[in-house]
Amino acid sequence: MTEHHDDTDSGADCAADEVDGSLSEVPGLLAEMHALLDRLAGADLSRCADAELVAVAKAQERAINRMLFQGNRQMLELSDRDVPRAMGFRSFSNFMNAELRVSQPQRRREQMTATARFAQLDGQRGEPKYPTLSEAFADGEVGPAHVDTAVEFLDALPHRLPHDRQVAAEATLSGLARTHTPAEITTLGQRLLDHLDPDGELTDDSDRKRRRNLWVNRANAQQMSKLTGHLDPETRALLDTLLAVWAKPGLNNPEDPDSPSGGEDDADPDALTAAAGRDHRSKAQRNHDALAALLRAVFRDGLLGTSHRGLPVQLIIKADLNDLIRESGVGVTATGSTLPIDEVIRLAADAQQYLAVFADATALPLYLGRAKRLASQAQRLMSFARPDGEVCSAPDCDQPATHVEMHHAVADFADGGLTDITDLAPACPRHNRMVGPKRGQFTTGVYADGPDAGRTWWRRNSDPHAPPNPQRVNRRPDIAAMYRDELEQVRARIHSDTGEPPETQSPPGAQAPGRDALHLTETIPPPFSVVEARLALMLFENSR
């Protein structure tokens, strides 16, 4: 024990030297913590008994939760002092993401809103919105997922619920969060809401309006997107009516070219009956196809208008020619989503197509000079077709082309800028309005040469005596190129290990040249069924 304290004291002395001159003990404490983490990383876990290792893991998770709570305290102090704005950041969320490397700033802000003690007008710290939950978070008894789930239900409490019942509900759900998983809190929270308002008498239109939402989540590896949301009673009734009319068996089936489209009353009865007999979709799949058919009808009938931010109201897709030739890969839409190439080819059959030619001349009016301030539709389409043109050009911004404006990147139009395609860049409304000469605003320009020729750079303005910020571009990683490089390195390592060119190497488990082909059958275990016996016989016959 004596040696252990000596090591810790020594580390503390070093930490104190590193933060010498600080008026607070916090930097020194954090330095000591990192020194302890270094020792923890080098500790031998194999010497822990099973029960002891479980206790160690639980203590570790509790420490992580406590650190998150303390991190929220520090971020709140930074916000109260307006430090992010002094450093040139326009928003606190941007500061959290870019400077503090917080991966989910909005989620952390919501946790702070529920559990932090905010400064009041008198300078004192007020009580947290949910004090019992805040105490559990500070103790490390609940984690961020517990907080998120509990807050979802606590925020859903009817505003007409008496104050004492709201306080009791918060204490009840926070106590449950200490001993249950987030998934269990979902069930328990719903039971609590049902108990507080069993007849729905306390919930009114203001509660429903406060809770209504619809989210389209990011596409997964299969380019499938999940919808989540809460529909108010009227919207739910409208959706139910749509599904009742358009999602019947046989209707709007994309796998059946003879399937009637639209509603049941508009379909030929005999054709609908025949299509229903061929329809093997589940109810959920029919619901999906009915919604897709409705959206196609909206586009077809022109209900969305003719133009949105200078782009035609159509499904606009950008694809690589090599991918089209190979019929593999994905296309990118102007809304930022992706489509498999086979879907792009299918949609292109009925599409009004634009050809983007990257050369010195084009028939489209792309160079308007001072004749026009706003970009033309041809310029908007050409901007989308450029590399990374599907998103805002500001660094780390992912707003899609349908949400951007055309920004005069070289010089503002009021300052003599030209409305030429080479001087324009896509910028979302937020970033477009952040361009200016003041601290915290951005200065932009276009690289004339080098590897980034034609790309727009952004630089955040700082105080005159502060270190200048670098010029940055919205560089999106080329995943395909990165994969190819990794594949080449892997093959090179294999080549160096085996001494034969990668293309001549046999894959793992393949038969070596010159080996007796019949020897493979010796590795097949005795068949356990007629099917396996036939498979074994086929392998034997093919190897002869």
Side-chain angles (χ1 to χ4, degrees):
M1 293 297 291
T2 304
E3 292 180 357
H4 172 74
H5 280 293
D6 288 342
D7 291 342
T8 305
D9 293 341
S10 176
D13 291 339
C14 294
D17 292 338
E18 293 176 1
V19 296
D20 188 27
S22 174
L23 299 179
S24 171
E25 64 175 345
V26 175
L29 292 174
L30 287 173
E32 292 180 27
M33 183 197 71
H34 282 290
L36 287 174
L37 288 176
D38 290 338
R39 294 181 57 190
L40 184 61
D44 186 3
L45 292 176
S46 64
R47 303 183 63 179
C48 292
D50 291 351
E52 187 179 19
L53 188 58
V54 171
V56 166
K58 292 174 65 175
Q60 174 78 31
E61 293 304 313
R62 183 186 174 193
I64 291 173
N65 295 336
R66 296 187 67 186
M67 286 298 299
L68 281 174
F69 183 84
Q70 296 304 322
N72 290 347
R73 279 188 60 212
Q74 295 153 12
M75 285 188 282
L76 184 60
E77 185 73 21
L78 286 166
S79 177
D80 289 344
R81 298 186 188 184
D82 207 19
V83 173
R85 187 176 298 275
M87 293 180 64
F89 290 91
R90 194 59 179 265
S91 71
F92 186 54
S93 294
N94 182 224
F95 170 77
M96 293 169 66
N97 187 259
E99 186 70 16
L100 302 185
R101 316 306 300 167
V102 175
S103 58
Q104 296 178 310
Q106 184 59 34
R107 181 183 180 188
R108 293 288 291 274
R109 294 193 68 169
E110 292 171 354
Q111 293 169 6
M112 284 190 284
T113 301
T115 61
R117 301 179 61 188
F118 288 85
Q120 307 298 305
L121 293 177
D122 59 2
Q124 301 298 316
R125 293 284 177 183
E127 286 296 314
K129 181 179 180 180
Y130 300 124
T132 310
L133 185 62
S134 175
E135 181 182 352
F137 195 13
D139 291 341
E141 297 295 332
V142 301
H146 297 85
V147 173
D148 295 342
T149 308
V151 168
E152 179 181 357
F153 283 96
L154 293 173
D155 286 348
L157 292 175
H159 73 283
R160 294 173 56 194
L161 192 69
H163 176 68
D164 57 343
R165 297 181 66 185
Q166 292 190 29
V167 173
E170 190 269 337
T172 301
L173 196 58
S174 300
L176 292 170
R178 288 178 178 264
T179 55
H180 291 80
T181 66
E184 292 171 337
I185 297 172
T186 300
T187 303
L188 296 171
Q190 187 59 55
R191 288 174 57 187
L192 178 62
L193 289 177
D194 294 340
H195 175 74
L196 294 172
D197 190 17
D199 300 321
E201 297 178 352
L202 297 177
T203 300
D204 56 18
D205 286 341
S206 62
D207 287 313
R208 297 187 184 100
K209 291 178 181 179
R210 178 165 55 94
R211 294 285 295 164
R212 74 187 190 281
N213 56 70
L214 180 66
W215 294 102
V216 181
N217 299 290
R218 290 183 180 273
N220 61 17
Q222 289 78 36
Q223 282 82 52
M224 302 290 286
S225 301
K226 183 178 180 180
L227 287 176
T228 57
H230 295 85
L231 306 181
D232 62 28
E234 179 185 359
T235 306
R236 170 61 188 268
L238 293 173
L239 181 61
D240 286 342
T241 302
L242 164 69
L243 299 180
V245 177
W246 284 41
K248 287 184 174 293
L251 284 174
N252 302 300
N253 187 353
E255 301 174 352
D256 185 355
D258 298 324
S259 170
S261 60
E264 181 180 15
D265 292 341
D266 299 328
D268 178 80
D270 295 335
L272 178 58
T273 301
R278 302 187 299 268
D279 195 346
H280 301 293
R281 297 173 298 169
S282 66
K283 179 176 176 55
Q285 290 171 332
R286 295 200 306 270
N287 291 344
H288 172 279
D289 296 341
L291 179 60
L294 175 66
L295 296 176
R296 285 194 294 269
V298 169
F299 273 91
R300 194 166 48 244
D301 295 342
L303 298 181
L304 298 180
T306 58
S307 177
H308 173 69
R309 295 190 182 276
L311 288 173
V313 181
Q314 301 171 7
L315 182 59
I316 305 173
I317 307 171
K318 177 171 67 174
D320 186 270
L321 178 60
N322 293 324
D323 289 343
L324 290 172
I325 295 174
R326 295 194 307 265
E327 297 187 13
S328 65
V330 295
V332 181
T333 71
T335 57
S337 58
T338 56
L339 284 173
I341 284 296
D342 57 346
E343 289 289 317
V344 174
I345 295 173
R346 181 182 63 80
L347 292 169
D350 301 320
Q352 178 182 358
Q353 298 160 9
Y354 291 84
L355 177 63
V357 180
F358 293 94
D360 295 333
T362 173
L364 298 176
L366 301 180
Y367 298 87
L368 304 179
R370 298 286 300 172
K372 190 176 180 182
R373 183 177 70 87
L374 298 179
S376 67
Q377 186 176 101
Q379 289 175 322
R380 292 296 307 267
L381 289 168
M382 182 58 69
S383 174
F384 170 64
R386 291 188 300 194
D388 293 343
E390 65 269 18
V391 293
C392 170
S393 59
D396 302 324
C397 185
D398 60 357
Q399 287 297 305
T402 50
H403 293 175
V404 302
E405 302 165 346
M406 295 310 293
H407 164 58
H408 290 75
V410 176
D412 191 78
F413 190 80
D415 299 329
L418 304 178
T419 308
D420 293 344
I421 187 62
T422 53
D423 292 3
L424 298 174
C428 67
R430 183 174 71 90
H431 280 111
N432 201 6
R433 285 150 183 75
M434 291 173 66
V435 177
K438 298 180 181 179
R439 180 195 65 193
Q441 293 183 317
F442 285 93
T443 299
T444 63
V446 176
Y447 285 110
D449 49 31
D452 289 323
R455 289 180 179 265
T456 300
W457 56 260
W458 293 66
R459 183 181 65 234
R460 189 188 301 275
N461 302 332
S462 57
D463 285 335
H465 303 295
N469 292 310
Q471 297 176 356
R472 299 177 59 204
V473 298
N474 195 356
R475 195 182 310 280
R476 310 185 82 199
D478 188 342
I479 303 299
M482 294 170 62
Y483 171 75
R484 287 195 299 268
D485 292 342
E486 291 293 337
L487 184 60
E488 290 178 1
Q489 294 179 27
V490 170
R491 287 176 172 172
R493 287 197 299 269
I494 294 175
H495 175 55
S496 62
D497 292 341
T498 61
E500 57 179 299
E503 61 272 12
T504 64
Q505 296 173 21
S506 302
Q511 183 176 336
R515 181 184 175 187
D516 185 0
L518 296 183
H519 185 67
L520 274 177
T521 61
E522 298 175 9
T523 65
I524 301 177
F528 295 100
S529 66
V530 175
V531 174
E532 289 189 24
R534 290 177 177 174
L535 287 174
L537 181 60
M538 291 173 60
L539 285 173
F540 176 77
E541 292 292 336
N542 291 334
S543 65
R544 298 182 62 180

